[in-house]
Amino acid sequence: MTESALAAVRGLLPAIAESAADVDRNRAVDPGIIAALQDAGFFSMLQPTSFGGLEVEPDDYLAATREISAACMSTGWLAGMLGVSTWHLALFDKRAQHDVWDSDRRALVCASYAPTGRLERVNGGFRLSGHWSHCTGVDHAAWLMAGALVVGDDGAAQDFVVALVPRHDYAIEPNWNGLGLRGIGAHDVVVAGATVPGHRTFGWVTPDQRSRLAPLYRLPQPILYTHTGTAPVLGAALGVLAARRAKVRHPLSAVAMAEADLELSVLQMRRNVAELMACARLDAGPEEELMLRSRRDQVLAFERAMTAIRLFEPDVDAELVERVWRDVRTAHMHVANDVERVLSVVGQFAFGLKVDAFIL
């Protein structure tokens, strides 16, 4: 099933590449492309088998995201972020999954995890209000996962959770105007007093809950998000290198070095994710060293991809290179790709200093 999905996605790549300039110009990925990715099984890759999904190895999902991004980085970023939200939904209470997928197995979920919402307790659940920015893919989604603070009667914050709300409970403010990734539609959303049943909120997965999940869903929660934030950049760099190799103005040794660095990044990420999945199969939490190595290699993959694309930076009259460079610079602002912050923590750990667990 995984090979079938990958083959189907690859069959779409010429059409996705052909649409890339229009995506950038029109600031939107055509719904037909999203529907085609649905038909190919891309958005089922991280969906539980109990709801018709494939539950593939995460490396296969990241590989598909890279390949889509090599054809069009906006499309790859958009698809990757919608797909990883499907993985997160699988961690919610089963009743929430039924709410989303019983009537439509193809329903997509977008997300914004900034705790800019407010949840007040009411009978049977909560009342949610808030304003969230940068909700990638909201135009294509039927549900939203939104970060919010649970507040008590005194107005003080008690907890941080994620609330799941259907499309009719939020308004979209179409204001995404990024220099790059112009087609991802990362608009703002507003919720004004929507009722959220308790089972549609998500806090932290306890060890008892984790043991009842399939191995894919026992991965540490940040891993797929951070790697999904880098896979499109790697894919875009590989795509530019393949398309523009003959026109590079740098020594050929620089091209060979860039290709080796990108291959190294793919292999390192693949190794780390495989080791994390091995821990998940044993229902054992990974050691700090493995978590930090995974984050280190992931952010260095981003840095190497930027370096590879810079080989073509003087060639700014080339539409492909100019578009990808804008996309990558925009992706650099995502928290997953904060190279300096991650490497600082890795350095602290190497010297035996206490590290911030949040970055793990």
Side-chain angles (χ1 to χ4, degrees), residues 186-197:
H187 304 306
D188 288 6
V189 297
V190 177
V191 176
T195 299
V196 181

Side-chain angles (χ1 to χ4, degrees), residues 121-133:
R121 297 183 189 277
V122 297
N123 290 337
F126 301 89
R127 181 180 295 108
L128 175 68
S129 297
H131 187 137
W132 292 266
S133 300

Side-chain angles (χ1 to χ4, degrees), residues 240-257:
V240 168
L241 217 57
R244 305 295 291 174
R245 186 183 291 109
K247 299 185 179 182
V248 70
R249 299 178 185 180
H250 290 259
L252 293 180
S253 59
V255 179
M257 179 69 74

Side-chain angles (χ1 to χ4, degrees), residues 51 89 91-102 124 143 164 197-201:
F51 290 97
L89 179 57
L91 306 185
F92 273 71
D93 187 294
K94 279 284 188 182
R95 290 172 293 173
Q97 298 176 54
H98 282 288
D99 289 345
V100 175
W101 286 320
D102 273 1
W143 292 75
L164 176 69
H199 69 268
R200 290 187 192 163
T201 60

Side-chain angles (χ1 to χ4, degrees), residues 13 28 33 64 120 142 157 162 253 261 278 321-322 351 354:
L13 297 182
I33 293 291
E120 301 174 18
V162 176
S253 59
D261 281 346
V321 177
E322 186 265 344
F351 279 89
K354 184 177 175 60

Side-chain angles (χ1 to χ4, degrees), residues 129-150:
S129 297
H131 187 137
W132 292 266
S133 300
H134 304 153
C135 300
T136 296
V138 65
D139 287 331
H140 303 280
W143 292 75
L144 165 73
M145 289 192 292
L149 296 175
V150 178

Side-chain angles (χ1 to χ4, degrees), residues 13-304:
L13 297 182
I16 292 173
E18 187 176 349
S19 72
D22 287 338
V23 168
D24 189 64
R25 186 180 307 110
N26 299 330
R27 294 185 175 275
V29 174
D30 191 292
I33 293 291
I34 299 299
L37 287 169
Q38 286 273 27
D39 293 340
F42 176 81
F43 296 113
S44 299
M45 295 184 90
L46 300 182
Q47 188 177 22
T49 55
S50 56
F51 290 97
L54 300 176
E55 277 187 35
V56 305
E57 291 294 305
D59 182 62
D60 293 322
Y61 168 75
L62 294 170
T65 303
R66 282 197 308 271
E67 295 194 29
I68 296 168
S69 302
C72 172
M73 188 171 161
S74 274
T75 303
W77 184 280
L78 169 64
M81 291 301 173
L82 288 172
V84 81
S85 293
T86 295
W87 175 84
H88 190 181
L89 179 57
L91 306 185
F92 273 71
D93 187 294
K94 279 284 188 182
R95 290 172 293 173
Q97 298 176 54
H98 282 288
D99 289 345
V100 175
W101 286 320
D102 273 1
S103 60
D104 184 3
R105 293 290 175 91
R106 292 162 62 104
L108 297 175
V109 182
C110 65
S112 179
Y113 294 105
T116 54
R118 176 187 177 96
L119 281 167
E120 301 174 18
R121 297 183 189 277
V122 297
N123 290 337
F126 301 89
R127 181 180 295 108
L128 175 68
S129 297
H131 187 137
W132 292 266
S133 300
H134 304 153
C135 300
T136 296
V138 65
D139 287 331
H140 303 280
W143 292 75
L144 165 73
M145 289 192 292
L149 296 175
V150 178
V151 297
D153 294 336
D154 59 356
Q158 298 177 336
D159 198 3
F160 166 67
V161 301
V162 176
L164 176 69
V165 291
R167 176 64 187 84
H168 59 73
D169 278 345
Y170 57 89
I172 300 173
E173 294 186 348
N175 57 1
W176 174 246
N177 193 29
L179 176 66
L181 296 176
R182 295 170 69 169
I184 67 174
H187 304 306
D188 288 6
V189 297
V190 177
V191 176
T195 299
V196 181
H199 69 268
R200 290 187 192 163
T201 60
F202 175 87
W204 190 256
V205 178
T206 67
D208 284 345
Q209 289 172 311
R210 282 175 54 89
S211 65
R212 295 195 294 269
L213 299 173
L216 175 62
Y217 308 111
R218 296 182 203 155
L219 281 173
Q221 292 179 34
I223 288 298
L224 274 180
Y225 284 93
T226 55
H227 284 58
T228 299
T230 294
V233 182
L234 262 179
L238 288 164
V240 168
L241 217 57
R244 305 295 291 174
R245 186 183 291 109
K247 299 185 179 182
V248 70
R249 299 178 185 180
H250 290 259
L252 293 180
S253 59
V255 179
M257 179 69 74
E259 289 180 328
D261 281 346
L262 295 177
E263 182 179 350
L264 172 65
S265 294
V266 171
L267 292 174
Q268 284 181 323
M269 290 173 68
R270 180 174 293 162
R271 173 199 63 182
N272 295 335
V273 170
E275 290 185 22
L276 288 163
M277 276 298 294
C279 292
R281 289 190 180 92
L282 295 172
D283 198 19
E287 299 289 336
E288 269 190 330
E289 184 176 3
L290 174 55
M291 290 293 293
L292 284 167
R293 188 221 303 162
S294 300
R295 285 289 271 135
R296 179 201 68 187
D297 293 345
Q298 170 249 313
V299 295
L300 285 177
F302 177 86
E303 191 73 11
R304 293 180 189 126

